[in-house]
Amino acid sequence: MALAFGMDIGGSGIKAAPVDLATGDCTVERVKVDTPQPSTPKAVAKAVAELFHYFGEEATQGAIGVTMPCIVQAGVTLSAANIDQKWTNYPAAEILSEAIGRPITLLNDADAAGMAELYYGAAMNTPGLIIVTTLGTGIGSAMIYNGVLVPNSELGHLEIDGFDAEKRAAASVRTKEDLSWPVYVKRLQRYYETLELLFSPDLFVVGGGISRNSEKFIPHLNLRTRIVPAGLRNSAGIVGAARHAHHLQNQG
Ligand code: BGC
């Protein structure tokens, strides 16, 4: 069984598990710890190392993929949304590798979720342009064209009607502003119709915790593009990071 290890670093929690790459399943139950507050690189690196070593050698033998809610280019985090600002322009891959004592592949959290959907979830065997959006604290996005990821698309930060899109349509905004579903659906409609106009995708996949309630909004959206809930739930970041890291390590 080919194994790889995935870790998903978020603003409030850090989740990890070994992943069976044939099925995309976690081979043991994933473990979640709180993200240290403030979530400085030093504090997070320490928590990451502890969590990693908790799993032991056998579970962590394969490639290691780690996600962060940041733009990630060549191992450097260029932005820091919903996490400590010290991560901006920070050599994150190097520091996290040093902390755990093994090389890692670092990628954006939504890009990882997109890879998980492509290989094991709602976007399997789908050619053309797929846009995976994660609706959570912010809005993350993954753009995949004919199986190839275009990294760091950051479509949650499109400016729509004068607003940063995620400040209007992220799942956290619905709770914070106590919006009814019909009001929130209007915001999602505006968001997805803008994406549709700009990119004409073949498929939208909606991830994030809210995909559990997809019947509350997906049937009410009026789009020409097919839109479906994510196939993977809380483990999408872990699974996609593990798959991506394994792929990069084995392509030479
Ligand atoms: C960040 C993205 C991230 C998304 C989901 C956004 O605010 O800019 O990098 O993927 O939140 O965490």
Side-chain angles (χ1 to χ4, degrees):
M1 174 169 75
L3 273 191
F5 192 80
M7 196 177 274
D8 192 7
I9 304 177
S12 57
I14 306 176
K15 299 176 271 190
V19 176
D20 174 351
L21 296 168
T23 60
D25 294 326
C26 298
T27 58
V28 297
E29 208 174 324
R30 75 193 166 95
V31 176
K32 183 174 175 186
V33 298
D34 288 343
T35 305
Q37 301 300 337
S39 50
T40 58
K42 208 171 149 197
V44 170
K46 186 163 171 271
V48 160
E50 277 168 19
L51 182 55
F52 180 77
H53 289 117
Y54 163 85
F55 280 91
E57 252 173 56
E58 206 180 306
T60 55
Q61 58 190 269
I64 303 164
V66 180
T67 82
M68 291 202 64
C70 308
I71 298 172
V72 180
Q73 198 169 31
V76 176
T77 39
L78 299 182
S79 65
N82 309 312
I83 194 149
D84 195 274
Q85 289 308 309
K86 289 208 177 78
W87 288 98
T88 310
N89 295 319
Y90 192 82
E94 192 185 316
I95 296 307
L96 295 175
S97 282
E98 252 170 46
I100 66 174
R102 295 262 304 275
I104 64 154
T105 299
L106 188 71
L107 71 162
N108 170 264
D109 56 357
D111 282 345
M115 298 317 276
E117 292 303 321
L118 178 70
Y119 287 103
Y120 309 107
M124 266 166 88
N125 307 317
T126 309
L129 180 63
I130 302 159
I131 298 184
V132 179
T133 52
T134 59
L135 303 177
T137 311
I139 297 182
S141 65
M143 284 182 87
I144 299 159
Y145 184 62
N146 284 344
V148 177
L149 173 74
V150 181
N152 297 311
S153 49
E154 292 291 326
L155 300 179
H157 295 296
L158 278 179
E159 188 182 314
I160 303 176
D161 303 329
F163 293 95
D164 186 26
E166 73 171 21
K167 297 277 182 309
R168 297 276 295 168
S172 64
V173 177
R174 187 183 76 83
T175 330
K176 205 165 36 187
E177 294 184 17
D178 198 18
L179 303 177
S180 65
W181 280 102
V183 171
Y184 183 58
V185 164
K186 276 198 193 133
R187 295 192 181 188
L188 291 178
Q189 173 68 31
R190 188 78 190 108
Y191 181 60
Y192 286 106
E193 74 190 17
T194 305
L195 290 185
E196 185 175 69
L197 178 72
L198 293 176
F199 300 105
S200 297
D202 297 283
L203 177 68
F204 283 123
V205 178
V206 187
I210 201 168
S211 56
R212 229 179 289 124
N213 289 319
S214 65
E215 80 291 348
K216 296 248 173 51
F217 60 96
I218 288 190
H220 306 293
L221 293 172
N222 183 13
L223 301 163
R224 62 184 149 82
T225 310
R226 196 156 70 87
I227 178 162
V228 297
L232 286 92
R233 296 283 150 91
N234 290 331
S235 58
I238 295 175
V239 172
R243 171 66 178 70
H244 191 63
H246 176 85
H247 177 71
L248 291 186
Q249 197 175 80
N250 291 281
Q251 72 181 2

